[in-house]
C-alpha cells in the first residue's frame, strides 16, 4: 500500500511513499549530536532571555507614548522566548532531571498565565496526532457539516480566527482548553490542577498589585499589551507550522506519522531578531521529527533533514502575502483539496 502527498512547493507533482514509512527511518539519518543536551547553552539562553525581558519592561516604563508600540512588540516577543524555553521543558529536552524541567517550565509560563502541565499534556497529544483529522488539537479545520451546524455567532467567530483575526486564535485555545483539570484523569489531573491553581494564584496577587500601584493603564501597558503580542506570535507560529493550501489533514485510516511530521510541518523564516528572541521555534520540522532535540540544535537537524529528505521539506518566508494566502484559503476541511474557503463553501450553499 502507498500513500500520496503533494510535493512541497510544486502543486503539480505528488509523492508516493510506502505505508510502512516510519519516523525511525528519518531519525536514523540525523547526526547523534542533535540529541545532546548542552547545559551551558540551555542556561545561557535562560539568562539572556530574562535580561531581555527586563530590558523590555524598562523600555515600557521609560518610553514616551509614541515609542510604546515598539516596546510592547519587543517585550511580547521576548516573552514568547519564555514560552519556548517552557516548551523545551515540557518536552524534557531542556534538562535531564524532570523536576528541573517542571520547575523552570512553570517559572517561564507564569507571567503568561499559562498552566504548564495542561499545556504540556495537550501539546504532546498534538505531536502524537499531528494533522490527523478529529484528533489534532492545534488549528484543525472544521468539517463543513459541523461549521453549518453552528449558529451565526459561532460561524462568525470561526471566520474571524481563520481570517484576518488569526492572531487572537491562541487566546481562545488558551482559555478553552487549559484550565479544566476534569478533562484529565489520575496523576495527570493532579498535575494540571496544581498548574492551574498556581497561575491563578499568581494572577490573583500580581494583577491587583499592578493595578493598585500603576492603575488600569499600568495593567494594560505592562501586562496586557505585551501579552497580546505574545499571542500574536503564538497564533502565527502555530498556524503557519502546519497550514498551507496543499497540506492535508488525514483521517486515521490514511494517516502516516512520518509523513505528517515531515511533509506536514513547515519551516518558515522570520526576521532574525524574532528567531533569536524566540529560540528558533520557527525551525519546526526537526522538532516534529523528534521532540528530544533541544531548540539550540534545531538548525543542525534541519540541515541534515534537507540533505536527506529535501523533496519533502516545506520552506516559506513570513510575509503578509503568506498570511493572506493562508487566511484567504485555509478555512474548512476538504478531503480531496485539503481546504475549502468560506467563499466557495457559501457559494455552494446558495
Amino acid at each position: 500500500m502507498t500513500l500520496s502527498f503533494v510535493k512541497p512547493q510544486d502543486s503539480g507533482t505528488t509523492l508516493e511513499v510506502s505505508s510502512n514509512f516510519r519516523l525511525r527511518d528519518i531519525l536514523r539519518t540525523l547526526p547523534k549530536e542533535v540529541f545532546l543536551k548542552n547545559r551551558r547553552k540551555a542556561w545561557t539562553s535562560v539568562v539572556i532571555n530574562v535580561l531581555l525581558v527586563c530590558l523590555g519592561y524598562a523600555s515600557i516604563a521609560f518610553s514616551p507614548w509614541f515609542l510604546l508600540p515598539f516596546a510592547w512588540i519587543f517585550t511580547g516577543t521576548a516573552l514568547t522566548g519564555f514560552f519556548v524555553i517552557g516548551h523545551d521543558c515540557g518536552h524534557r529536552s531542556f534538562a535531564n532531571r524532570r523536576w528541573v524541567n517542571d520547575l523552570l517550565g512553570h517559572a517561564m509560563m507564569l507571567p503568561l498565565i499559562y498552566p504548564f502541565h495542561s499545556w504540556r499534556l495537550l501539546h504532546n497529544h498534538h505531536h502524537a496526532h499531528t494533522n490527523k483529522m478529529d484528533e489534532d488539537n492545534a488549528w484543525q479545520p472544521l468539517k463543513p457539516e459541523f461549521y453549518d451546524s453552528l449558529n451565526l455567532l459561532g460561524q462568525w467567530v470561526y471566520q474571524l480566527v481563520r481570517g484576518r483575526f488569526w492572531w487572537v486564535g491562541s487566546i481562545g485555545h488558551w482559555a478553552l482548553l487549559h484550565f479544566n483539570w476534569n478533562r484529565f484523569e489520575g496523576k495527570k489531573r493532579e498535575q494540571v490542577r496544581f498548574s492551574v491553581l498556581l497561575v491563578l494564584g499568581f494572577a490573583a496577587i500580581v494583577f491587583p498589585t499592578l493595578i493598585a500601584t500603576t492603575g488600569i493603564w499600568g495593567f494594560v501597558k505592562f501586562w496586557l499589551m505585551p501579552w497580546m503580542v505574545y499571542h500574536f506570535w503564538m497564533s502565527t507560529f502555530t498556524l503557519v507550522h502546519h497550514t498551507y493550501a496543499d497540506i492535508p489533514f488525514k483521517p486515521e485510516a490514511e494517516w502516516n506519522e512520518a509523513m505528517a511530521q515531515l511533509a506536514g510541518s513547515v519551516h518558515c523564516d522570520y526576521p532574525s531578531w524574532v528567531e533569536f528572541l524566540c529560540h528558533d521555534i520557527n525551525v519546526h520540522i526537526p522538532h516534529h521529527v523528534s521532540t528530544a532535540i533541544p531548540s539550540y540544535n534545531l538548525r543542525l537537524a534541519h540541515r541534515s533533514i534537507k540533505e536527506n529528505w529535501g523533496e519533502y521539506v516545506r520552506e516559506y518566508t513570513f510575509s503578509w502575502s503568506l498570511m493572506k494566502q493562508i487566511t484567504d484559503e485555509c478555512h474548512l476541511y476538504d478531503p480531496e483539496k485539503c481546504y475549502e474557503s468560506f467563499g466557495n463553501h457559501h457559494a455552494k450553499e446558495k
Side-chain angles (χ1 to χ4, degrees):
M1 178 180 176
T2 60
L3 302 171
S4 297
F5 292 82
V6 174
K7 185 175 181 179
Q9 300 164 98
D10 183 359
S11 57
T13 305
T14 59
L15 297 170
E16 291 190 349
V17 296
S18 167
S19 58
N20 294 322
F21 182 44
R22 295 290 182 263
L23 270 179
R24 62 176 175 266
D25 299 324
I26 308 170
L27 292 172
R28 290 193 189 106
T29 68
L30 292 175
K32 297 291 190 294
E33 56 263 35
V34 304
F35 300 102
L36 297 178
K37 298 183 181 75
N38 185 308
R39 187 179 300 175
R40 178 184 58 80
K41 288 182 179 180
W43 285 104
T44 297
S45 70
V46 174
V47 172
I48 291 175
N49 207 153
V50 169
L51 292 175
L52 290 172
V53 167
C54 290
L55 176 63
Y57 280 120
S59 70
I60 293 173
F62 295 107
S63 290
W65 65 268
F66 55 87
L67 292 179
L68 275 176
F70 300 99
W72 288 331
I73 291 170
F74 176 84
T75 307
T77 308
L79 285 170
T80 308
F82 272 19
F83 181 88
V84 177
I85 291 173
H87 172 271
D88 271 18
C89 292
H91 286 303
R92 312 310 191 193
S93 62
F94 182 89
N96 290 321
R97 291 197 164 113
R98 179 167 295 187
W99 70 268
V100 175
N101 287 309
D102 286 349
L103 179 62
L104 183 63
H106 279 95
M108 291 290 100
M109 292 191 178
L110 266 183
L112 307 170
I113 316 301
Y114 228 117
F116 173 74
H117 279 309
S118 59
W119 170 82
R120 177 179 64 82
L121 294 167
L122 290 171
H123 185 66
N124 283 337
H125 186 85
H126 158 66
H127 274 272
H129 303 281
T130 300
N131 284 29
K132 183 192 292 183
M133 199 61 198
D134 300 322
E135 279 291 344
D136 196 351
N137 56 21
W139 291 93
Q140 178 181 174
L142 292 184
K143 291 182 176 179
E145 57 270 24
F146 182 80
Y147 170 79
D148 291 335
S149 72
L150 297 175
N151 57 32
L152 290 178
L153 177 61
Q155 291 185 1
W156 178 74
V157 169
Y158 184 69
Q159 288 174 20
L160 284 181
V161 297
R162 277 285 177 176
R164 296 296 186 262
F165 284 80
W166 85 86
W167 46 274
V168 299
S170 71
I171 297 177
H173 192 270
W174 163 80
L176 296 174
L177 296 182
H178 294 85
F179 290 86
N180 180 11
W181 55 71
N182 289 322
R183 65 187 297 134
F184 303 92
E185 296 181 355
K187 182 181 179 181
K188 293 179 180 179
R189 178 179 295 183
E190 295 307 310
Q191 290 176 328
V192 172
R193 191 203 310 266
F194 171 79
S195 294
V196 170
L197 294 178
L198 182 66
V199 298
L200 292 179
F202 176 84
I205 294 171
V206 172
F207 288 176
T209 302
L210 186 59
I211 293 171
T213 54
T214 65
I216 295 296
W217 172 237
F219 172 78
V220 171
K221 183 169 76 168
F222 286 103
W223 186 79
L224 182 60
M225 295 307 295
W227 186 76
M228 291 295 293
V229 172
Y230 153 72
H231 274 289
F232 168 87
W233 288 121
M234 277 291 291
S235 299
T236 302
F237 287 144
T238 52
L239 176 62
V240 173
H241 279 164
H242 300 285
T243 308
Y244 203 70
D246 58 4
I247 294 180
F249 272 73
K250 294 279 190 177
E252 185 173 5
E254 302 174 21
W255 184 78
N256 177 276
E257 181 184 24
M259 286 302 295
Q261 313 293 15
L262 181 61
S265 297
V266 173
H267 173 96
C268 186
D269 290 318
Y270 292 79
S272 57
W273 66 273
V274 174
E275 296 180 357
F276 173 74
L277 289 174
C278 298
H279 307 290
D280 290 336
I281 191 62
N282 59 298
V283 187
H284 201 62
I285 298 172
H287 173 63
H288 263 269
V289 169
S290 174
T291 59
I293 302 173
S295 57
Y296 43 82
N297 289 336
L298 290 173
R299 290 193 180 276
L300 175 60
H302 184 72
R303 288 194 294 270
S304 173
I305 289 172
K306 282 190 68 175
E307 290 172 4
N308 293 285
W309 309 93
E311 62 182 341
Y312 300 100
V313 171
R314 295 178 182 273
E315 292 184 317
Y316 302 111
T317 299
F318 177 68
S319 65
W320 170 244
S321 61
L322 174 67
M323 299 312 300
K324 185 177 185 299
Q325 183 173 1
I326 291 173
T327 55
D328 279 350
E329 300 178 14
C330 302
H331 299 152
L332 299 169
Y333 172 70
D334 187 299
E336 296 180 358
K337 297 182 295 182
C338 300
Y339 284 98
E340 179 181 49
S341 69
F342 292 126
N344 287 342
H345 178 71
H346 289 300
K348 290 193 308 186
E349 295 295 303
K350 292 181 181 180

